Amino acid sequence: MGYRLVNSLLTLVLVSFVSFAAVEFAPGDPAEMLLGGASKELSAEALARVRAAHGLNQPMWKRYVGWLKLVAGGNLGVSLRTN
């Protein structure tokens, strides 16, 4: 039974990493999407503030580990639609 539990946990981590990486490498800039505009129309300061507020200025592995800790604690984040 212990082997199955460890195997299941490893599978969950692997699937979560693949999902996280797929979103990471998707085209587009998340900061621009959150501000609702194209990069020509948005100021560099506004983009930098959004990236810092959402941790988008950190390396991918740091964002993944932080996200994994939150999810393991039951925090699935804030809804972008309803805040």
Side-chain angles (χ1 to χ4, degrees), residues 17-28 30 33 60 63:
F17 180 76
V18 169
S19 300
F20 191 89
V23 171
E24 175 72 21
F25 295 117
M33 289 182 214
M60 179 183 146
R63 289 194 316 267

Side-chain angles (χ1 to χ4, degrees), residues 18-61:
V18 169
S19 300
F20 191 89
V23 171
E24 175 72 21
F25 295 117
D29 183 7
E32 288 179 13
M33 289 182 214
L34 285 171
L35 291 174
S39 61
K40 297 175 200 171
E41 301 168 4
L42 299 173
S43 69
E45 295 84 20
L47 287 171
R49 276 194 312 263
V50 169
R51 286 185 182 117
H54 293 280
L56 297 171
N57 53 355
Q58 297 178 355
M60 179 183 146
W61 70 269

